[in-house]
């Protein structure tokens, strides 16, 4: 009986992760469409999505490293000794740049750039940022 519960829980977890991935990719594709950014297929490929977000936000390609560096550094810190202050600074700097990208995306949608700050709110960053950018017409929020 416990084996069946574990299998069901695993299946539910995989379906949940897949649903989140599809939601993020679809909303990113719609934002790309509304900002007239080409190559909407990029929204569906992991890691290429970071390049596409930078492209929508009209930021240099190398800015995609701010999405990738914090998780990589955190994983490396499990194997080598890194100062926690250094880890925190890297994460804070990366977060500031990611917020700046989303601020540019909100401006391109003719919305308040301060919507980019929603990226700082856990869970709300996925739900509200993309939801607002997709469903609300331009100039209707803030």
């Amino acid at each position: 009986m416990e084996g069946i519960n574990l299998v069901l829980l695993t299946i539910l977890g995989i379906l949940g992760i897949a649903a989140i991935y599809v939601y993020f990719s679809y909303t990113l594709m719609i934002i790309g469409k509304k900002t007239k950014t080409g190559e909407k297929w990029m929204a569906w490929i992991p890691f290429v999505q970071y390049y596409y977000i930078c492209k929508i936000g009209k930021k240099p390609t190398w800015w995609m490293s701010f999405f990738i560096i914090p998780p990589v550094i955190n994983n490396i810190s499990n194997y080598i000794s890194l100062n926690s202050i250094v880890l925190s600074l890297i994460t804070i700097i990366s977060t500031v740049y990611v917020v700046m990208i989303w601020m540019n995306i909100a401006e391109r949608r003719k919305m308040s750039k301060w919507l980019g700050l929603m990226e700082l709110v856990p869970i709300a960053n996925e739900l509200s940022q993309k939801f607002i950018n997709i469903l609300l017409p331009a100039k209707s929020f803030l």
Side-chain angles (χ1 to χ4, degrees):
M1 192 68 167
E2 286 183 28
I4 293 173
N5 289 341
L6 184 60
V7 169
L8 289 175
L9 190 60
T10 302
I11 291 171
L12 282 175
I14 291 170
L15 289 174
I17 290 169
I20 291 169
Y21 174 77
V22 167
Y23 170 76
F24 178 77
S25 298
Y26 179 74
T27 56
L28 186 58
M29 183 183 72
I30 297 300
I31 293 169
K33 182 179 178 182
K34 289 190 175 191
T35 56
K36 295 179 174 78
T37 306
E39 297 98 12
K40 289 177 257 329
W41 57 268
M42 288 184 183
W44 294 93
I45 302 173
F47 297 106
V48 175
Q49 293 171 332
Y50 302 138
Y51 168 76
Y52 193 56
I53 291 170
C54 291
K55 189 171 181 178
I56 292 170
K58 296 202 177 222
K59 292 295 181 188
T61 303
W62 65 269
W63 277 38
M64 67 185 270
S65 62
F66 294 113
F67 290 98
I68 298 168
I69 288 174
V72 169
I73 294 287
N74 284 330
N75 284 329
I76 290 172
S77 70
N78 292 332
Y79 302 104
I80 61 172
S81 178
L82 287 175
N83 189 336
S84 62
I85 294 174
V86 171
L87 290 173
S88 297
L89 283 175
I90 290 170
T91 303
I92 290 168
I93 291 167
S94 294
T95 302
V96 167
Y97 278 92
V98 168
V99 166
M100 289 169 56
I101 293 168
W102 281 107
M103 290 173 99
N104 277 15
I105 291 172
E107 279 185 320
R108 288 203 60 208
R109 288 277 297 121
K110 296 182 176 40
M111 296 180 182
S112 172
K113 69 179 180 180
W114 298 109
L115 287 174
L117 292 176
M118 293 303 289
E119 205 57 32
L120 298 173
V121 182
I123 299 175
N125 63 354
E126 291 303 320
L127 299 176
S128 61
Q129 179 75 35
K130 282 67 172 187
F131 185 78
I132 289 167
N133 274 317
I134 290 172
L135 296 180
L136 291 180
K139 296 185 181 177
S140 67
F141 189 74
L142 295 178

